[in-house]
Amino acid sequence: MTKQDTASWVEKDKKQLHPVYHPKSHVNPLVVERGEGVWLYTTDGQKILDGMAGLWNVNVGYGREELAKAAYDQMKDLAFTSNFVGMTNLPSIRLADKLAGFAYEGLNTTFFTSGGSEANDSAFKTARYYWKRMGKPGKYKVIARKSAYHGVTLAATFATGLEKYQTMFGPAMDGFVHIPAPNPYRFEGELKAGETVGQAAARALEEAILREGADTIAAFIAEPVMSVGGVIVPPDDYFPLVRAICDKYEVLLIADEVITGFGRTGQWFALKHWNIKPDILSFAKAITSGYAPLGGIQLSDEIRETMESAAESEAYMHGYTYSGHAMACAVGNKNLELMEKENYPARAKELGKRLIEGLKTLSEFSFVGDVRGLGLLCGVEIVSDKVSKTADGAMAMKIFKAAQDRGLRTRPVMNTLAFSPPLSINEEEVDEIVKRLGAAMDSMSAIGDHV
Ligand SMILES: Cc1ncc(COP(=O)(O)O)c(C=O)c1O
């Protein structure tokens, strides 16, 4: 294709409304035509290393024939059938069976959605359902963290702790309460003498429960590693304390593992790093490595039992047309098979170490405030001053653009550049991320910014 073709595609693209859209931010989009491994190819001839695996989800890399074939074979046999009212299909049965106990012991029941926002909405409704069945209908609120991202359905929007996703969609939904994130680099809560950030952030949860009244709180939702909010890795003492507080006050723990699930952090699921398990797990994205839209929740056996014993008038009246979509589940089954065969959690652990070590060599730039990550989920926080840690989102955006000019796709999340490449990445490609980012940072000095 020629440059002219690309201009014409870009013009036609204006008929499409893009996610998180502003006309000023959607100029000259990359028109991507093809992908292979970690590489994307655009219509105007660029070859780009996708340091984000699409939207943190293409774990097995692009162009996997096995997944194309799984979709083709299933579509030929049965692309879709209703999963409602007395019908089911083989791929969804197989996938639910495979997932039973796969993420966490005791989470044996799966409800399928088409993505992560629907998964979180389903989690909130399930938490409310559970407490009604338990005779505690007053427990309906959800505690979430500032800087959290949980998606864009109305409920997920107001569970999210990032104001910019909410400003134009208010008034806020009732029933969501936010507490400070366990951010070791810039903790925004109150830190008492002798307290660790993990302890202070967990105390904020307990205080919120007491302030609101434990008899009003249905659940606490948390991403094990916060991603869209700036790639925030919690301190090790945080989640065990959170689990204990949830148990003490009868609050369900919802783990939003839409990004951290399926190997990304070096474990199949990320709360394993801290040896705890949730009551409800939200998943999406890498369940199919992005080859088909699919998500879901997994429920503890205790929650499942409340459904088994419900009267007919108390049925779980919740479901999507595409819950248990046959083709999407067939792709999910094949994708899981590939990830197990190619041992992705171990790859993420090993190559993640290499990536973080590489990114840390860039700390000498005066605008690199912090480098952090877990597995192949990493962030480089950009500041205008290392001592005051003043966030510099504009500089992060400049580096993002300079990196893209050098054939590297990252994503500025707040003032942090995120990296979440396909887990199929090899050592050389990891080093290439560091090299290209370094070159982009170097170019900042040429335009008068600090080195
Ligand atoms: C942690 C988390 N939860 C939920 C979502 C929403 O998922 P989806 O965009 O599939 O609705 C995302 C999307 O990035 C996410 O990162």
Side-chain angles (χ1 to χ4, degrees):
M1 283 206 202
T2 65
K3 282 215 156 57
Q4 233 161 4
D5 289 328
T6 299
S8 133
W9 288 121
V10 168
E11 194 49 38
K12 286 182 183 148
D13 184 50
K14 289 183 182 153
K15 300 198 177 84
Q16 185 180 180
L17 192 59
H18 283 266
V20 293
Y21 178 76
H22 188 281
K24 278 195 193 146
S25 62
H26 195 73
V27 284
N28 295 326
L30 296 174
V31 185
V32 181
E33 198 178 11
R34 196 169 69 77
E36 200 182 324
V38 301
W39 299 96
L40 293 173
Y41 298 84
T42 66
T43 50
D44 61 355
Q46 296 181 63
K47 180 181 173 188
I48 291 168
L49 200 168
D50 186 3
M52 283 303 294
L55 273 174
W56 331 73
N57 56 341
V58 187
N59 283 14
V60 298
Y62 296 99
R64 299 293 302 250
E65 296 227 351
E66 304 94 317
L67 296 183
K69 185 164 184 314
Y72 174 81
D73 288 346
Q74 185 57 45
M75 277 185 166
K76 253 191 337 166
D77 286 348
L78 178 77
F80 170 82
T81 188
S82 166
N83 233 13
F84 280 56
V85 200
M87 279 183 92
T88 187
N89 64 68
L90 292 175
S92 71
I93 294 173
R94 285 192 193 105
L95 188 54
D97 183 50
K98 171 73 192 170
L99 290 175
F102 179 81
Y104 298 101
E105 206 186 317
L107 269 67
N108 291 307
T109 303
T110 300
F111 171 82
F112 290 111
T113 68
S114 304
S117 306
E118 284 182 359
N120 285 331
D121 252 37
S122 302
F124 303 145
K125 286 178 75 176
T126 304
R128 288 184 175 193
Y129 174 94
Y130 171 76
W131 288 117
K132 278 188 199 293
R133 284 283 302 118
M134 297 297 283
K136 297 184 178 176
K139 282 171 88 69
Y140 72 97
K141 295 180 194 166
V142 172
I143 300 178
R145 283 99 50 90
K146 293 174 186 159
S147 298
Y149 182 77
H150 297 301
V152 296
T153 57
L154 198 58
T157 293
F158 289 102
T160 287
L162 297 164
E163 232 178 271
K164 65 179 180 178
Y165 284 90
Q166 300 165 338
T167 313
M168 296 308 290
F169 302 111
M173 251 182 105
D174 178 34
F176 291 96
V177 176
H178 290 90
I179 58 171
N183 185 342
Y185 182 64
R186 48 171 84 248
F187 181 58
E188 285 169 1
E190 176 212 17
L191 199 56
K192 288 186 178 165
E195 228 179 10
T196 64
V197 167
Q199 287 166 342
R203 179 171 51 76
L205 172 61
E206 184 160 23
E207 286 170 0
I209 295 171
L210 293 173
R211 193 169 56 242
E212 299 288 325
D215 53 348
T216 72
I217 307 295
F220 173 59
I221 184 166
E223 301 151 87
V225 176
M226 303 171 89
S227 300
V228 180
V231 191
I232 299 164
V233 184
D236 284 338
D237 55 354
Y238 178 69
F239 272 112
L241 290 169
V242 160
R243 181 67 268 184
I245 292 166
C246 287
D247 289 343
K248 182 171 168 191
Y249 296 101
E250 293 193 311
V251 168
L252 297 175
L253 175 57
I254 303 170
D256 180 349
E257 300 224 29
V258 165
I259 286 178
T260 56
F262 300 104
R264 167 74 39 209
T265 68
Q267 290 272 4
W268 278 111
F269 283 80
L271 287 184
K272 293 239 160 112
H273 288 287
W274 304 287
N275 288 319
I276 64 151
K277 61 181 185 183
D279 302 295
I280 302 178
L281 168 73
S282 294
F283 66 87
K285 294 195 187 270
I287 175 75
T288 60
S289 286
Y291 280 69
L294 185 64
I297 51 174
Q298 286 204 293
L299 311 178
S300 70
D301 293 343
E302 200 186 333
I303 296 174
R304 169 61 186 253
E305 276 154 26
T306 63
M307 294 177 180
E308 299 297 327
S309 60
E312 266 189 48
S313 58
E314 294 173 330
Y316 184 70
M317 295 301 288
H318 178 68
Y320 303 97
T321 297
Y322 296 131
S323 288
H325 188 281
M327 181 279 286
C329 289
V331 173
N333 282 314
K334 180 53 79 175
N335 178 58
L336 269 181
E337 192 187 309
L338 293 180
M339 291 205 288
E340 280 189 309
K341 202 163 78 191
E342 293 164 21
N343 204 358
Y344 277 0
R347 286 185 71 84
K349 190 171 170 194
E350 199 185 308
L351 292 162
K353 261 193 212 138
R354 189 179 183 97
L355 180 57
I356 293 196
E357 273 164 25
L359 294 173
K360 282 198 169 150
T361 63
L362 306 174
S363 299
E364 69 198 38
F365 285 100
S366 64
F367 44 72
V368 174
D370 192 32
V371 176
R372 53 187 177 250
L374 192 60
L376 277 170
L377 182 54
C378 305
V380 177
E381 181 156 349
I382 305 299
V383 294
S384 56
D385 177 63
K386 285 197 201 222
V387 178
S388 66
K389 300 182 180 176
T390 311
D392 195 344
M395 184 62 161
M397 186 55 83
K398 277 191 213 167
I399 299 169
F400 156 71
K401 286 186 178 145
Q404 192 153 292
D405 289 344
R406 287 158 181 78
L408 170 66
R409 180 81 179 169
T410 164
R411 178 169 164 195
V413 284
M414 319 310 286
N415 60 312
T416 293
L417 293 164
F419 294 89
S420 166
L423 306 186
S424 60
I425 195 167
N426 63 33
E427 293 185 352
E428 218 180 320
E429 290 160 341
V430 165
D431 297 346
E432 200 57 36
I433 291 180
V434 177
K435 199 169 123 199
R436 292 182 190 209
L437 183 66
M441 287 182 168
D442 257 338
S443 74
M444 293 301 110
S445 56
I447 58 169
D449 288 305
H450 17 215
V451 184

